[in-house]
Amino acid sequence: MGYVAGEFDVIVIGAGHAGCESALASARMGCETLLLTINLDMVAFMPCNPSIGGPAKGHVVREIDALGGEMGRNIDKTFIQMRMLNTGKGPAVHALRAQADKFSYQHLMKKTIEETPHLTLRQGMAEELIVEDGKCVGIVTKSGAEYRAKAIVVTTGTYLRGKIIMGELMYESGPNNQQPSVRLSASLKEHGLELIRFKTGTPPRVHKDTIDFSKTEIQPGDEKPKFFSHETESSDNEQLPCWLTYTSEDTHRIINDNLHRAPMFSGAIEGTGPRYCPSIEDKIVRFADKPKHQIFLEPEGKHTSEYYVQGLSTSMPEDVQLSILRSIPGLEKVEMMRTGYAIEYDAVIPTQLWPSLETKVIDGLFTAGQINGTSGYEEAAGQGIIAGINAARKVQGKEAVIIGRSQGYIGVMIDDLVTKGTNDPYRLLTSRAEYRLLLRHDNADLRLTPVGHEIGLITEERYEKFLKKKELVEQEVERLRSTKVKPEEMENVLLEAGSAPMTQGGDVLSLLRRPEVTYAMLETVVPSPYDLTEEMKEQVEIQIKYAGYIEKQLLQVERLNKMEKKKIPDDIDYGDVRGLASEAKQKLGVIRPLSIGQASRIAGVTPADISILLVYMEHYNRVTAARKSGA
């Protein structure tokens, strides 16, 4: 017999990276929130790589932090290595990556959740949705407990009908041998959601004392680490190195000899795997001409001997995995502590979602994270905070918050998912963002802190600090523009920079536009009267050096915004729009874009279709207005 176990404003199902951000956002916005998880010991667990960040992903963590989320703060406290990647390239692709102490990361996140007002953390397996009159009003757990709420967020990760595959061995399981969630999948289907089958994988873990590090290359952290959270000012965390090695000819031979035992080639795997994070057997087949592939050996934490073998994701049988490992330089005598595996799971086809991440089929039901077809902790957390914010705002009777493509990578990802869908686990890449020069690691706070403050997730104290930073950066740019120098004053600086001497006096800002001249060089001659942090100085330099490119992108954004402002009426029947191609009618009818901008990004909708739609909308709006005035 079931029983009513509690009533909440918002219920979040699943306490992975999406669920944690969802629940924290909702509770911090004042909603009574329940966070329900199959196992309390798995809150914010990292079943795959114990790392946060990297290209595009690191940008998302900065954006989550700018909105008032937790991932950045949590990794800044628990990292064991911090590195800024791509420093030899332009600022648009600079990306921060941290190796996490996997256990400290999850324990600290669980502690934060337990200590957050309005947030209840509970162990239980959600099995059924309660839907009344097309609205999701609660859930029922395996134990028969019924929880009621005004909005539900499903963040089940890879647990939905999870199946682990290792060679010939297959069994129902969530990641890391946890219980899978089977009944909830059926409940989602019963209520009209279409599901798709995806696959992801993880490599083996090996014992540190059985690695010969002398045959590998050391990969240390940055001497002066930067941080993910805009609130972190310093850290005394001890950094541990990672190590680089490569596959050998022997590795490739072992894999090729055992392809008949690889589930992805024998037909045992039905789910589609991630294109940008393939298994080692997939890499060997697809890139047969490559003599070797990089393998990184990464510590899982300070208090464990487990090392993560990045680049060796596999679903080969256990005996083959051990042979593969021992064919790699430095791992000849290695002992495997955990076997790598592939996991198949159900995901929701994301074109069934509005940009708010609420489902179109069921009112009040939101989904976020890997259930929406993405891969990666950062992508999950980015969706999680948006779903949590919008679930809370729905309960509060407020309009949904939608991050635009020109505002953040979070906006790019959600727009891609709900507009285009995905045929394999979606991974964020810098190349997916058409305005990536505007969406940099260094300016995430300038882009999104005002949004976080407006919705109540950024404190007044933090907002005041942010405004002060913004003002100082603007004042310094203005000071450099109005400060004039004579050629002789700059002679030594320009000589040292290998830059052409000045022929006549001019402003400092023009000198900083030269590629070889840095802010630090100019500071020696014209020191700033303002108390600028290193981060502010970097911001000044980027804004000045890239001003021309940034202005061009802002003009493109302005054009995009005009398209985004042209809202498409809710009740439009695309079947009535004469001249629209059949494919466009079908796609527009399924996705139901909110604006002309979104409609123009749907695959199969041509510029000609958009022109016809604009003409139709003008007529439609005129008729509607006339009808209303007549009434």
Side-chain angles (χ1 to χ4, degrees), residues 53-60 62 83-97 226 228 409 428-443 447 538 542 546 553:
K57 292 167 174 276
H59 295 61
V60 168
R62 292 276 283 177
R83 281 184 86 182
M84 184 65 84
L85 309 178
N86 298 333
T87 49
K89 299 177 183 175
V93 292
H94 288 181
L96 195 58
R97 183 185 186 271
K226 292 195 171 179
F228 282 103
Y409 274 93
L428 257 175
L429 308 160
T430 48
S431 58
R432 293 193 192 271
E434 57 272 55
Y435 308 114
R436 57 185 169 276
L437 192 54
L438 302 179
L439 310 182
R440 304 183 310 274
H441 166 94
D442 62 88
N443 70 351
R447 292 185 275 118
E538 178 190 36
I542 289 171
Y546 294 90
Q553 290 219 327

Side-chain angles (χ1 to χ4, degrees), residues 274-532:
R275 189 187 321 178
Y276 298 102
C277 189
S279 64
I280 188 67
E281 50 269 34
D282 195 14
K283 277 193 271 193
I284 300 299
V285 171
R286 274 167 56 188
F287 308 108
D289 55 323
K290 277 193 101 173
K292 58 183 185 177
H293 294 273
Q294 285 187 329
I295 302 291
F296 289 94
L297 305 172
E298 302 175 337
E300 294 228 321
K302 284 181 187 170
H303 308 293
T304 176
S305 292
E306 281 187 78
Y307 264 60
Y308 180 92
V309 188
Q310 195 205 323
L312 209 76
S313 179
T314 182
S315 56
M316 283 286 201
E318 194 171 303
D319 58 311
V320 179
Q321 289 192 35
L322 189 58
S323 299
I324 291 169
L325 282 167
R326 289 183 175 171
S327 70
I328 293 167
L331 305 182
E332 292 88 349
K333 294 180 179 173
V334 85
E335 289 297 336
M336 186 162 64
M337 294 178 75
R338 296 185 204 230
T339 318
Y341 60 83
I343 183 166
E344 279 189 350
Y345 56 95
D346 285 347
V348 165
I349 294 172
T351 49
Q352 298 170 101
L353 307 173
W354 298 113
S356 63
L357 294 181
E358 185 176 13
T359 64
K360 294 171 184 174
V361 185
I362 307 163
D363 189 39
L365 180 71
F366 295 76
T367 59
Q370 279 187 273
I371 188 175
N372 287 346
T374 55
S375 67
Y377 312 140
E378 305 85 353
E379 287 93 336
Q383 293 169 69
I385 193 169
I386 297 300
I389 287 167
N390 287 330
R393 284 178 75 86
K394 189 170 180 84
V395 168
Q396 293 163 352
K398 294 175 182 170
E399 213 174 290
V401 168
I402 293 165
I403 306 297
R405 291 184 76 89
S406 59
Q407 271 182 298
Y409 274 93
I410 292 175
V412 171
M413 165 176 63
I414 293 174
D415 184 66
D416 278 352
L417 290 169
V418 305
T419 306
K420 300 171 186 169
T422 184
N423 297 321
D424 48 65
Y426 176 98
R427 178 183 181 169
L428 257 175
L429 308 160
T430 48
S431 58
R432 293 193 192 271
E434 57 272 55
Y435 308 114
R436 57 185 169 276
L437 192 54
L438 302 179
L439 310 182
R440 304 183 310 274
H441 166 94
D442 62 88
N443 70 351
D445 57 338
L446 296 172
R447 292 185 275 118
L448 292 171
T449 302
V451 179
H453 177 251
E454 195 187 319
I455 57 186
L457 289 177
I458 295 289
T459 62
E460 284 304 322
E461 184 190 354
R462 178 168 168 184
Y463 192 58
E464 286 305 317
K465 202 172 165 187
F466 159 75
L467 290 176
K468 184 71 184 159
K469 171 191 169 177
K470 193 167 176 263
E471 185 189 359
L472 283 172
V473 168
E474 285 165 6
Q475 284 176 347
E476 180 65 355
V477 170
E478 205 38 59
R479 180 187 79 88
L480 295 175
R481 182 178 282 115
S482 56
T483 302
K484 306 291 179 195
V485 283
K486 294 174 183 161
E488 57 269 25
E489 290 177 273
M490 300 309 300
E491 195 176 345
N492 290 338
V493 167
L494 296 177
L495 192 67
E496 190 190 331
S499 190
M502 293 173 78
T503 52
Q504 57 186 56
D507 61 76
V508 183
L509 186 138
S510 300
L511 289 173
L512 190 48
R513 283 205 169 130
R514 296 184 181 188
E516 63 279 6
V517 176
T518 66
Y519 179 90
M521 290 170 181
L522 298 176
E523 217 179 355
T524 57
V525 181
V526 283
S528 176
Y530 310 121
D531 186 17
L532 301 177

